[in-house]
Amino acid sequence: LKVALRVIGNQIQAVVYNPATQQYLNAAGNWQNQFTTALTCTEGAISAMGAVGIERPAKYASAVYIDDFGVTFATVDTQPPQVTIIQPSPGAVLTGTTAFQANVTDNGGIDHVEFLIDGQVRQSTSEAPYTMSLDTTTLTSGTHTLFVRAYDLAGNVGSATLIFSVQNSGGSLPTIPRHYPNIRIAELAYTGTPITTFEQQLLQSSVDLVIPNPQYLSYIHSVNPNTPQLIYTNFSNLYQQALLDWLDYANSHGLNPEDAFYHVTTPTAFTGASASSQPVTWFWNVGRGSSLTSLTNLTSAAHDSTTGDVSFGSLGQSLYLGYPDLINEINFNLNRGAANGWKGVLEYASAVDSNGTPTDWKPLTVKNDGTSGFTQSGKITFDPPADWTMSQIGSQGAMYYVRIRTTSAGTSPAATTILAADYVNANGAAQGTIPVFDYSADKDHDGYLNDAEYANRTPGDNARFAYQSRMFYPYYGQMRYVLNPRDSDVQQWAANYAVRLLASQPLANGLFVDNSSGHFPLAGIHVLEPTDNYSTNYGTMLGGISSQIAPHWLMANVSGGGSETAAVVTNTAGTFDESAIRALASNWQQFEDLANTVANWQSVTTPAHYMVLDSMTTGGSATDPRTQMATLAYYYLVGDPNSTFLLYGGGQSPNTSWTQHWIPAAAYDIGQPTSKWSLFASGKDPANTALAYHVYQRSYANGLVLYKPLSYAAGLGTGTLSNATATTFQLNGTYRLLQSDGTLSTLVTSVSLRNGEGAILVKA
């Protein structure tokens, strides 16, 4: 091992490096690829320059051997290292395992050099020559960014950047069986979806991909074990179980939990709510009992005054309150105070066993007890103890627990609500203000402002804890935070979490990742952390997950995405464009925009990645023949029979019967496409001559597909769906119209189309 002591001001840092594995020992005693310090301490006695070296006190006898010892005195140095990437060359196309090399020079000596791919540290080394060997099959085919960052002994940083490409033959797409040669069908099965003989028949005859609630995994597998199933998750924002998992992971790995979030720098108003968000005042786990394995669950009652009271424990019992982060106040709204000698004491979990179960509880020192011993409603405040430990009680993740242990029998108190601090001042509403945390006032750097520190904060910076300044994801509500994908430790956690999630659901073939357009969700909001390269960092995180869960795979919901979505496409096996096709609501400009977007995303990877095109029935209804055929025609114009899937009306009602999400005409084989989409006809809308109509076409082996979006003119608006918009066109042959029920019409040589109408014409 190579051990270095670095003295920077009054800070002493110990760096332990293994040249054989090119890894560093971290503070938790684990080896990692990224540069880190094993120990850091402050030595107040260091105030000036002095002697440095190795000393052997006289009491030790025999020979002393010193191997590879050196001393470097860091003079005032403001010159960064010079970095040149030697290999690969700019624009190189790489395959297999490839060597990366950089030349680094500095006037005062190099501390370490980092190699980053797409923002993720892949290797850190203190040994020259500075090289890295990389298996490029762990990357998706497409362009990537190499970033080499060098640190000198004075802390100056130099860097160099290079763009390269990866092209590994065969790609990394999973093989998905299909039922029809001309189209692929996807379905959702969220909680509440009825599973009847109709759904069973579709699974056996038509559906190629399902995104189900885990409760349906077993049934779908029993009906058709070859149907891939992707279960829901989210890595763009942290909430509920994933939030608990990250906080526990950070705590157990010696990481700063705030690395996974963005923090506001000015008081920031928010609005919104969702079924998966909850107020910051709610305790996440509340239970009462004498044994941790058989507690009465009172979580809902503790925050809802209408569901019944929360009675404190009798003698031998305790009331447990769990919160994801440290707290410093508890608010009790009592409708019955302690009486007849009842007494209780507040305690916190200070030690756990190997399973995370609390093994030791200590008295919590109270600063102010507004309840007067739980005899009246009020607030209890305290400073969070330094040894307060996250612990596991019940089936939820680890949290910070306090308990009220009954020490004397009598009439126990009963509370209508027990709540934590309302630090966003929401007062029960779906809006409030996220406060700022003053890091300069946090003199002991523990992420909490005690009373003395809080008194010296910048006026208006009212957060007591650093976590209270985390930014919520717009507009999903409280306790649902935007995830910051920049940090490599956060990326590693995400991959680790995905692996464990899939291990818990062995029938799932992969993950459906929501809110994954790659677009930075906080544009215009001032946050503490850097926001550049968000799309690249988010795509890199998804790529890391993809490589770790293989042969499972990811499908990302890219709804609303644009050019930044390419970073997501290149790092996943599939994308899901929610509500993309709106056949009765799109004008011709919107049709062309979506058609070009689909083509662009399909061209990003070779072979083209899988893509689900979801639709909305806006302007019609799920069982309306016009809506069905317009949607199917729209899909046939822009889709690919091998790589794209049609999901009919999925996102707008994901938990309804599949009778609402199936077009019988899709089962009719119109053959393979023989051309790309093109303009078939155009002219003035007969219902509004100020607007222009466009009709688009695409030829298939067995027919012709036509679709007429809403008429449109820039600055003048969009046309209607009325019968008055109909225009008639002569065809270049004799056809039969495909009906929505899958049957064919009599022979036709012309077709009439209204705005928002499609026709699938089968050759006679």
Side-chain angles (χ1 to χ4, degrees):
L1 301 181
K2 184 176 180 179
V3 181
L5 293 181
R6 296 150 38 111
V7 182
I8 305 173
N10 64 355
Q11 293 284 315
I12 302 177
Q13 299 175 341
V15 180
V16 182
Y17 176 72
N18 187 336
T21 62
Q22 296 186 327
Q23 290 183 311
Y24 295 84
L25 188 68
N26 62 28
N30 301 314
W31 293 98
Q32 64 181 55
N33 295 329
Q34 294 80 20
F35 176 85
T36 188
T37 59
L39 295 171
T40 299
C41 66
T42 301
E43 177 51 76
I46 300 177
S47 59
M49 295 182 293
V52 61
I54 292 180
E55 176 189 47
R56 184 188 70 175
K59 65 180 180 179
Y60 295 107
S62 75
V64 174
Y65 298 93
I66 301 172
D67 177 32
D68 192 18
F69 174 75
V71 174
T72 301
F73 177 65
T75 58
V76 177
D77 178 8
T78 60
Q79 182 177 337
Q82 299 298 307
V83 181
T84 303
I85 298 175
I86 300 174
Q87 189 176 352
S89 58
V93 179
L94 308 180
T95 61
T97 300
T98 302
F100 293 73
Q101 184 173 356
N103 182 48
V104 183
T105 59
D106 186 74
N107 61 328
I110 299 300
D111 188 279
H112 70 284
V113 175
E114 296 176 338
F115 289 82
L116 299 87
I117 303 293
D118 298 331
Q120 180 181 8
V121 177
R122 291 301 186 102
Q123 182 166 301
S124 181
T125 178
S126 296
E127 295 288 319
Y130 303 108
T131 62
M132 175 182 70
S133 179
L134 179 70
D135 180 3
T136 61
T137 61
T138 62
L139 303 175
T140 56
S141 295
T143 58
H144 298 272
T145 302
L146 169 66
F147 186 68
V148 179
R149 187 165 53 199
Y151 296 77
D152 67 14
L153 296 171
N156 300 306
V157 182
S159 63
T161 303
L162 179 142
I163 303 297
F164 66 95
S165 297
V166 168
Q167 183 59 64
N168 289 302
S169 60
S172 57
L173 292 181
T175 299
I176 300 179
R178 63 187 308 152
H179 288 93
Y180 303 125
N182 56 297
I183 194 171
R184 287 184 180 271
I185 301 295
E187 294 287 0
L188 302 181
Y190 284 19
T191 300
T193 300
I195 302 297
T196 68
T197 55
F198 181 82
E199 283 75 21
Q200 179 177 334
Q201 291 170 358
L202 280 188
L203 283 169
Q204 294 170 337
S205 65
S206 306
V207 176
D208 298 329
L209 174 69
V210 182
I211 301 172
N213 183 284
Q215 73 186 76
Y216 299 122
L217 285 169
S218 180
Y219 177 81
I220 293 172
H221 180 78
S222 68
V223 173
N224 191 340
N226 295 321
T227 303
Q229 301 187 73
L230 307 178
I231 57 174
Y232 182 97
T233 191
N234 201 318
F235 290 108
S236 65
N237 46 116
L238 279 177
Y239 58 98
Q240 293 187 343
Q241 191 59 42
L243 173 61
L244 292 178
D245 195 276
W246 159 251
L247 295 175
D248 185 39
Y249 181 93
N251 178 67
S252 61
H253 287 76
L255 306 176
N256 181 358
E258 301 312 308
D259 287 344
F261 307 98
Y262 292 97
H263 301 80
V264 300
T265 57
T266 59
T268 302
F270 73 90
T271 185
S274 65
S276 53
S277 65
Q278 61 187 51
V280 299
T281 57
W282 288 7
F283 284 96
W284 286 39
N285 192 19
V286 179
R288 183 189 62 237
S290 56
S291 171
L292 292 179
T293 60
S294 58
L295 296 178
T296 300
N297 191 328
L298 300 169
T299 307
S300 296
H303 59 71
D304 188 346
S305 60
T306 66
T307 59
D309 297 333
V310 176
S311 296
F312 291 36
S314 58
L315 188 62
Q317 293 185 326
S318 296
L319 181 65
Y320 297 86
L321 310 174
Y323 197 80
D325 294 286
L326 293 169
I327 59 174
N328 69 331
E329 72 173 65
I330 307 175
N331 298 276
F332 295 90
N333 184 14
L334 303 180
N335 68 351
R336 183 181 72 220
N340 302 318
W342 185 96
K343 293 186 182 301
V345 60
L346 267 173
E347 299 175 327
Y348 67 95
S350 59
V352 297
D353 61 18
S354 58
N355 296 319
T357 305
T359 57
D360 189 38
W361 297 83
K362 293 182 179 179
L364 185 62
T365 301
V366 172
K367 293 194 303 183
N368 179 66
D369 180 8
T371 71
S372 297
F374 304 108
T375 60
Q376 62 185 26
S377 298
K379 177 193 300 183
I380 294 179
T381 61
F382 47 87
D383 288 324
D387 60 344
W388 198 350
T389 303
M390 296 186 79
S391 55
Q392 181 90 28
I393 296 178
S395 59
Q396 282 191 291
M399 287 181 268
Y400 290 98
Y401 278 93
V402 294
R403 73 178 183 183
I404 304 163
R405 181 170 60 87
T406 302
T407 58
S408 179
T411 302
S412 62
T416 55
T417 59
I418 303 175
L419 301 171
D422 185 9
Y423 60 82
V424 296
N425 292 317
N427 297 316
Q431 60 186 18
T433 301
I434 301 171
V436 177
F437 182 77
D438 187 350
Y439 288 88
S440 64
D442 184 18
K443 299 303 182 183
D444 55 4
H445 307 294
D446 63 350
Y448 168 68
L449 301 184
N450 58 38
D451 288 346
E453 293 170 331
Y454 194 71
N456 291 321
R457 76 192 189 284
T458 300
D461 292 358
N462 295 331
R464 292 297 292 254
F465 293 90
Y467 75 80
Q468 293 178 346
S469 64
R470 297 173 190 161
M471 185 63 204
F472 303 135
Y473 195 95
Y475 296 88
Y476 286 161
Q478 301 175 51
M479 300 293 277
R480 188 161 173 170
Y481 305 105
V482 181
L483 182 138
N484 183 350
R486 176 181 290 264
D487 190 271
S488 60
D489 290 318
V490 176
Q491 296 178 5
Q492 291 172 15
W493 162 80
N496 180 275
Y497 178 78
V499 168
R500 289 182 283 115
L501 177 59
L502 286 168
S504 71
Q505 301 291 345
L507 293 180
N509 298 87
L511 299 173
F512 170 72
V513 188
D514 206 3
N515 305 119
S516 293
S517 69
H519 177 72
F520 182 58
L522 299 178
I525 296 176
H526 299 288
V527 292
L528 181 65
E529 293 75 15
T531 61
D532 59 307
N533 297 321
Y534 172 85
S535 300
T536 298
N537 292 331
Y538 186 76
T540 298
M541 180 177 67
L542 293 184
I545 296 171
S546 296
S547 64
Q548 290 295 311
I549 67 173
H552 295 85
W553 53 284
L554 294 184
M555 175 165 280
N557 187 351
V558 296
S559 175
S563 59
E564 68 276 7
T565 305
V568 175
V569 173
T570 57
N571 284 285
T572 56
T575 52
F576 181 103
D577 199 347
E578 185 176 0
S579 305
I581 296 176
R582 308 182 188 204
L584 273 67
S586 295
N587 60 47
W588 56 260
Q589 183 61 66
Q590 292 167 327
F591 164 81
E592 291 191 7
D593 289 344
L594 178 62
N596 290 329
T597 295
V598 172
N600 289 338
W601 289 351
Q602 289 273 284
S603 68
V604 169
T605 61
T606 304
H609 76 299
Y610 292 120
M611 188 172 186
V612 172
L613 295 175
D614 181 31
S615 75
M616 285 191 74
T617 61
T618 305
S621 68
T623 56
D624 167 46
R626 178 177 177 179
T627 306
Q628 292 179 331
M629 295 310 295
T631 301
L632 187 59
Y634 194 134
Y635 169 80
Y636 276 139
L637 285 176
V638 302
D640 178 88
N642 296 312
S643 58
T644 62
F645 297 72
L646 173 63
L647 173 59
Y648 181 57
Q652 68 186 40
S653 54
N655 54 1
T656 56
S657 167
W658 287 359
T659 58
Q660 306 294 308
H661 307 289
W662 168 244
I663 304 174
Y668 191 94
D669 184 8
I670 64 170
Q672 297 296 299
T674 59
S675 68
K676 296 182 179 179
W677 65 270
S678 62
L679 185 66
F680 175 76
S682 62
K684 294 182 178 181
D685 183 345
N688 183 349
T689 57
L691 305 179
Y693 73 79
H694 285 187
V695 178
Y696 298 94
Q697 66 177 343
R698 190 178 188 185
S699 296
Y700 277 75
N702 298 333
L704 175 68
V705 176
L706 301 177
Y707 167 61
K708 184 182 181 183
L710 299 179
S711 55
Y712 170 73
L716 298 178
T718 295
T720 70
L721 296 170
S722 72
N723 293 336
T725 65
T727 48
T728 301
F729 306 96
Q730 293 297 315
L731 302 173
N732 60 352
T734 303
Y735 297 87
R736 297 181 189 274
L737 281 166
L738 178 62
Q739 312 286 348
S740 63
D741 62 1
T743 62
L744 298 177
S745 73
T746 58
L747 296 175
V748 298
T749 57
S750 65
V751 64
S752 181
L753 296 174
R754 296 166 291 181
N755 282 354
E757 194 163 20
I760 299 174
L761 299 151
V762 179
K763 293 178 182 178

